[in-house]
């Protein structure tokens, strides 16, 4: 199974609700003090809140200092059963921290958006945890009460709902044996990397399959995002992103085409199997007969997020594609061209079914490389558009929150939580 | 036609099909899926030796070409083409060739 940041934040909200609505600690437990549970909780929260550079909606430094003062007990002792609700919250917050610490391709804008949402949910869970502990019998947490009251004063009581799930899509934990679409994407990208990163193993089929699969992923993401716009699940401005993704799909389709006089034979069974599995998952989960699935099932945030993540993974495969063709066009390893074509071009005669190495001076593979390069840039542009739209919406919301002090607009702007510093192209899409 | 000519013809049809499918407008991506099936069949047939396929230097060529896999891929391509508007004639031509791949 895969775990997404949105999934984990939903679990955390569920656990928070259990703390708010559930029973308090049933008197003195006779076991270890509740301070142990709070120590684990504070350590997990501290790590998660500082995992991404961003700004919490409260005084982040004060909260962090307070959590540091609570995180004093590092002995690996089991938490008593009576404190299990706190342990559950600790585990979830810790898992969120783990996920945020994994390498994810994201822009600074997107990280700030994700961090803002994570902070809100973690702080709300801390507030509920503190309230739950303070509401327990007085003997339970005598030494912590002062700190917990201060913590409750700094944190919010209710998390905002997941207002922009699209900002969370890059953080996804996927096991290679995941039976669903996430797993198929992961296995496919691995096999594509294996096939394309070795000049000794790359084949025409590997290059064509990868390009066509990237086109399919882009098409699916475009269809899902369009469906989400039609069902008002996401901001209508994301229609531009859907159009950009569809355009990227068209470009990758073109990059799949090879002229008939250029060849690079050989078999690629592992990538072929992974490609077939990816297509089977897309057909089974996202298509209805010969068409994309209806908007109601295709345009839900979980599907859109999964496909944006898949597009991001596809862009990485696209980078391998670009570099493989660069090697074939300009490196030591060459594609082959039909001798007939080369002879026709250079000397005006022909020879059927003979192949010669592509010319180093004027390689036929150069056009394929250019097409691949342009195609992959188009994916980067589409995904960056997603980030910018999210940021633009956030900026708009932030402005709406500011009192209409027209004399000092720049100060009001600086006081908002998320001040985008301008568009940034993702480094990983630069090839 | 003898077998090499049949395979050559099949390859020509498949290449034309995948080129057309990849170049045509495709709002629901059904042509892209059909093109992928054609690409696979094209490479499997070429693998049987109908067309000399130069390879990168160290690609593993030790395993023999799989006739059954080539026929299966061709059948899959025919099935996909049968679902694409405008590709029925091409699908029929290829279908006639499937049994000739021995």
């Amino acid at each position: 199974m895969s775990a997404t940041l949105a999934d984990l934040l939903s679990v955390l909200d569920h656990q928070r609700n259990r703390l708010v609505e559930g029973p308090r600690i049933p008197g003195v437990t006779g076991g270890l003090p509740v301070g142990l549970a709070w120590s684990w909780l504070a350590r997990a929260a501290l790590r998660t809140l500082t995992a991404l550079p961003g700004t919490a909606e409260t005084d982040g430094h004060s909260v962090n200092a307070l959590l540091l003062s609570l995180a004093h007990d590092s002995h690996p002792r089991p938490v008593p059963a009576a404190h299990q609700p706190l342990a559950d919250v600790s585990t979830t917050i810790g898992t969120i921290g783990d996920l945020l610490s994994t390498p994810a391709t994201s822009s600074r804008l997107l990280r700030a958006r994700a961090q803002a949402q994570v902070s809100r949910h973690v702080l709300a869970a801390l507030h509920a945890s503190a309230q739950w502990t303070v509401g327990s019998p007085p003997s339970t947490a005598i030494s912590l009460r002062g700190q917990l009251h201060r913590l409750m004063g700094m944190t919010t009581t209710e998390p905002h709902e997941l207002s922009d799930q699209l900002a969370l899509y890059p953080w996804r934990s996927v096991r290679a044996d995941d039976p669903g679409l996430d797993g198929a994407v992961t296995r496919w990208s691995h096999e594509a990397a294996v096939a394309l990163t070795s000049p000794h193993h790359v084949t025409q089929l590997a290059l064509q399959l990868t390009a066509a699969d990237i086109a399919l992923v882009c098409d699916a993401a475009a269809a899902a995002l369009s469906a989400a716009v039609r069902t008002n699940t996401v901001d209508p401005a994301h229609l531009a992103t859907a159009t950009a993704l569809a355009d990227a799909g068209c470009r990758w389709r073109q990059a799949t085409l090879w002229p008939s006089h250029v060849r690079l034979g050989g078999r690629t069974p592992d990538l072929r199997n992974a490609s077939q599995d990816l297509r089977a998952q897309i057909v089974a989960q996202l298509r209805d007969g010969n068409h994309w699935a209806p908007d109601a099932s295709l345009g839900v945030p979980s599907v859109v997020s999964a496909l944006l993540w898949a597009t991001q993974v596809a862009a990485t495969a696209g980078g391998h594609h670009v570099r493989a063709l660069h090697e074939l066009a300009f490196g030591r390893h060459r594609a082959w061209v039909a001798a007939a074509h080369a002879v026709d071009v250079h000397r005006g005669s022909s020879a059927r079914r003979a192949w010669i190495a592509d010319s180093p001076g004027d390689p036929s593979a150069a056009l394929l490389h250019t097409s691949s390069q342009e195609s992959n840039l188009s994916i980067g542009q589409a995904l960056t558009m997603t980030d910018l739209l999210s940021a633009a919406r956030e900026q708009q919301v932030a402005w709406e929150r500011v009192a209409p002090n027209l004399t000092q607009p720049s100060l009001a702007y600086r006081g908002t939580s998320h001040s985008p510093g301008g568009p940034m192209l993702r480094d990983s899409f630069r090839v | 036609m003898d077998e090499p000519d049949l395979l050559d013809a099949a390859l020509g049809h498949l290449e034309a099909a995948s080129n057309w499918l990849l170049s045509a407008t495709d709002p629901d991506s059904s042509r892209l899926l059909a093109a992928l099936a054609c690409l696979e069949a094209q490479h499997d047939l070429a693998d049987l030796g109908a067309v000399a396929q130069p390879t990168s230097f160290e690609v593993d060529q030790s395993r023999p070409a799989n006739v059954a896999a080539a026929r299966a891929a061709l059948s899959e391509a025919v099935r996909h083409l049968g679902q694409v508007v405008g590709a029925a004639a091409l699908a029929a031509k290829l279908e006639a060739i499937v049994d000739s791949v021995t």
Side-chain angles (χ1 to χ4, degrees), chain A residues 72-84:
Chain A
H72 52 79
D73 191 343
S74 60
H75 298 296
R77 289 176 288 178
V79 173
H83 306 153
Q84 192 59 42

Side-chain angles (χ1 to χ4, degrees), chain A residues 40 43 89-90 215 222 232 252 275 318 321 325 338 363 368 407 413 430:
Chain A
W40 285 112
R43 288 152 67 88
V89 170
S90 301
N232 294 319
W252 273 111
S275 167
H321 191 275
L325 278 168
L368 293 171
T407 57
Y413 179 77
R430 291 184 181 141

Side-chain angles (χ1 to χ4, degrees), chain B residues 18-42:
Chain B
S18 54
N19 286 352
W20 176 71
L21 290 164
L22 288 167
S23 303
T25 54
D26 189 16
D28 57 17
S29 303
S30 56
R31 289 176 177 175
L32 178 58
L33 286 166
L36 273 155
C38 286
L39 279 176
E40 288 188 321
Q42 197 179 328

Side-chain angles (χ1 to χ4, degrees), chain A residues 3-25:
Chain A
T4 68
L5 198 46
D7 293 340
L8 290 170
L9 291 180
S10 295
V11 170
L12 186 60
D13 280 352
H14 178 68
Q15 291 170 339
R16 188 192 68 85
N17 286 335
R18 270 179 35 209
L19 284 172
V20 171
E21 296 163 5
R24 302 291 192 259
I25 299 174

Side-chain angles (χ1 to χ4, degrees), chain A residues 200 202 205 208 212 219 253 257 260 263 265-267 272 276 279 287 290-292 336 352-353 355, chain B residues 8 15 19 26 28-30 32-33 36 40 43-44 47 52-56 58-59 61 63 65 83:
Chain A
H200 303 300
V202 67
L205 180 60
Q208 287 187 292
D219 281 4
R253 242 171 252 249
L257 288 167
S260 59
R263 287 280 183 272
R267 298 172 195 146
R272 189 167 165 174
Q276 286 174 344
R279 273 175 272 158
R287 290 180 70 81
N290 226 12
H291 306 280
W292 292 111
W336 296 86
R352 192 167 182 262
R353 289 188 184 179
W355 299 89
Chain B
D8 244 0
E15 189 162 355
N19 286 352
D26 189 16
D28 57 17
S29 303
S30 56
L32 178 58
L33 286 166
L36 273 155
E40 288 188 321
H43 282 271
D44 277 349
D47 220 18
Q53 284 277 67
T55 67
S56 56
E58 297 179 28
V59 169
Q61 294 295 305
R63 279 171 292 180
Q83 296 171 353

